Amino acid sequence: METGTLSFVHQFVAAREAGAPTLLLLHGTGGNEHDLLGLGRALHPGAALLSPRGQVLERGMPRFFRRLAEGVFDQDDLRRRTDDLAAFVDGACAAYQLDARQVIAVGFSNGANIAASLLLRHPSVLAGAVLFHAMVPFEPDRSPDLRGVPVFLGAGRFDQMVAPAQTERLAELLGQAGAAVTLHWEPGGHALSPAEVRAATGWLLEHAPRVRNP
Ligand code: MLT
């Protein structure tokens, strides 16, 4: 679906439980708006699912922002696309009558990177985030206020795209901003593992019912 103010092609699935959060599902490079619906359902069976498709095409593969090389991001584009995503979340909350204080991002790889950028650049948009295999999207000039925002970071010790030092730096940046960071390491690489999904499911069970500004 694509509509005027909701400028991203996206899927929306209504919540199955009253008061459940909305999971903002952000796919990896080459994915689309359908990719993470099953993951979202597994992570939180009652949640509403809002799943946009990245608007950048790299050799035909959708992404959420441009990169100059692997791991080297086009910062102007990242800034603009992060603002666009924040506006989309705002618009979707109004259009689908979602509680804007209960949007939790779930991102993988490139999707996790734009979710991290959203946390650092628009700290009031997300009530929490599950970031699978994320990198540092940029070093902020000023630390944002993420007090009370829970963040799950899932990472692989042998991830060839995301060096452990990147994960640790992201955890540090988010922690310095006041986020409550849970860092979960897997013994594998860049792929999402079932154990990681199980860990994130347990984490969500604990953190999702909490509303940031009741
Ligand atoms: C990717 O797979 O998309 C990269 O590792 C992360 C990115 O470019 O954002």
Side-chain angles (χ1 to χ4, degrees), residues 81-212:
R81 307 275 177 191
T82 303
D83 294 350
D84 290 349
L85 186 61
F88 168 74
V89 171
D90 234 40
C93 286
Y96 296 120
Q97 298 179 334
L98 304 170
D99 183 346
R101 298 165 309 169
Q102 283 210 73
V103 179
I104 298 174
V106 174
F108 171 67
S109 194
N110 179 246
N113 292 344
I114 197 150
S117 180
L118 203 53
L119 284 168
L120 296 173
R121 189 162 161 78
H122 293 280
S124 61
V125 169
L126 298 173
V130 175
L131 308 181
F132 293 119
H133 304 256
M135 300 161 88
V136 176
F138 64 92
E139 288 281 339
D141 295 335
R142 263 179 306 143
S143 188
D145 181 0
L146 288 169
R147 275 174 296 174
V149 177
V151 178
F152 177 95
L153 287 183
R157 288 259 177 229
F158 305 101
D159 192 326
Q160 295 193 331
M161 286 193 187
V162 185
Q166 279 274 325
T167 306
E168 276 153 15
R169 177 64 186 145
L170 182 59
E172 187 178 59
L173 278 174
L174 295 170
Q176 281 166 354
V181 179
T182 301
L183 183 45
H184 176 90
W185 288 103
E186 283 291 313
H190 197 61
L192 193 54
S193 77
E196 199 174 356
V197 173
R198 274 196 302 278
T201 306
W203 179 90
L204 263 175
L205 211 56
E206 194 184 327
H207 294 92
R210 294 190 196 157
V211 175
R212 191 185 187 193

Side-chain angles (χ1 to χ4, degrees), residues 37-57:
L37 293 173
L39 173 66
R41 200 35 91 223
L43 286 172
H44 193 311
L49 306 177
L50 178 64
S51 186
R53 186 198 303 168
Q55 292 180 318
V56 166
L57 281 181

